[in-house]
Amino acid sequence: GIQVEQSPPDLILQEGANSTLRCNFSDSVNNLQWFHQNPWGQLINLFYIPSGTKQNGRLSATTVATERYSLLYISSSQTTDSGVYFCALINTGTASKLTFGTGTRLQVTL
Amino acid sequence: DGGITQSPKYLFRKEGQNVTLSCEQNLNHDAMYWYRQDPGQGLRLIYYSQIVNDFQKGDIAEGYSVSREKKESFPLTVTSAQKNPTAFYLCASRGRVDQPQHFGDGTRLSIL
């Protein structure tokens, strides 16, 4: 099956710093989602991005499908950005099932 | 408000007991999914359904069962055959194939 690797596994930032999270995947896919899981377990959609670049406020994402990776950029981080960030790959040929990476745990400190 | 509602938020199971987790959506989505998350891990697919009265096994279906009698509802039963049921369970739904999945707030299941 598809393998999804995320790096780094853990990240500690001071408030205001920028960061880049990476997602590598082993096979071609139809689409990719980035999620933020907050400390209460809620899974929040960030981006649905098969290719190219999207921006939403302080967050942006870039997927290069031909090279099998995606990047999530967080600028001017805030303590509310803490939590776990997951990328998940979608194969529309299999009912759009999601295959998740193991996540990057981010802690933003004051 | 449109969304996905999971209940209960916390559930405790005794040894040998079956328990059922509820997932209801009012988004008029055709497809629904159940995922399991263990501590420090990503989510893994248990079962999914693309249409009423039809469902398929995911990657870790053993010890679980589902039904899809209504478009809005996709309950998950954790049976006594599931020997390690303690986990966080998340339900999701999706509209068109080219649209993202949206998740409920999850149910935490523990063993007494």
Side-chain angles (χ1 to χ4, degrees), chain A residues 38-67:
Chain A
N38 65 24
W40 297 270
Q42 293 174 317
L43 207 60
I44 310 299
N45 279 310
L46 297 177
F47 295 101
Y48 184 66
I49 180 167
S51 63
T53 297
K54 290 186 177 180
Q55 180 146 12
N56 185 2
R58 296 181 295 104
L59 302 181
S60 65
T62 296
T63 296
V64 184
T66 53
E67 298 186 23

Side-chain angles (χ1 to χ4, degrees), chain A residues 3-39:
Chain A
Q3 304 297 314
V4 183
E5 293 183 357
Q6 291 187 243
S7 60
D10 296 280
L11 187 58
I12 300 175
L13 297 175
Q14 222 169 11
E15 197 172 41
N18 303 329
S19 62
T20 301
L21 281 57
R22 187 176 180 101
C23 173
N24 290 333
F25 42 96
S26 62
D27 204 351
S28 59
V29 293
N30 300 101
N31 216 321
L32 183 146
Q33 277 186 261
W34 280 99
F35 296 93
H36 175 217
Q37 188 169 40
N38 65 24

Side-chain angles (χ1 to χ4, degrees), chain A residues 33 37 45 48 95-97, chain B residues 33 37 45 50 98 101-102:
Chain A
Q33 277 186 261
Q37 188 169 40
N45 279 310
Y48 184 66
S96 298
K97 293 188 294 182
Chain B
Y33 306 80
Q37 186 179 29
L45 182 65
Q50 298 185 79
D98 61 345
Q101 290 185 25
H102 295 272

Side-chain angles (χ1 to χ4, degrees), chain A residues 31 33 35 37 39-43 45 48 84 86 90 92 94-103 105, chain B residues 33 35 37 40-45 48 50 57 59 88 90 94 97-105 108:
Chain A
N31 216 321
Q33 277 186 261
F35 296 93
Q37 188 169 40
W40 297 270
Q42 293 174 317
L43 207 60
N45 279 310
Y48 184 66
V84 183
F86 290 104
I90 302 159
T92 54
T94 56
S96 298
K97 293 188 294 182
L98 290 172
T99 300
F100 281 79
T102 52
R105 184 173 298 276
Chain B
Y33 306 80
Y35 294 89
Q37 186 179 29
Q41 303 293 317
L43 282 67
R44 292 181 292 166
L45 182 65
Y48 64 101
Q50 298 185 79
K57 293 181 179 180
D59 300 319
F88 188 45
L90 288 148
R94 172 188 54 76
V97 169
D98 61 345
Q99 291 177 334
Q101 290 185 25
H102 295 272
F103 284 78
D105 288 346
R108 294 190 186 277

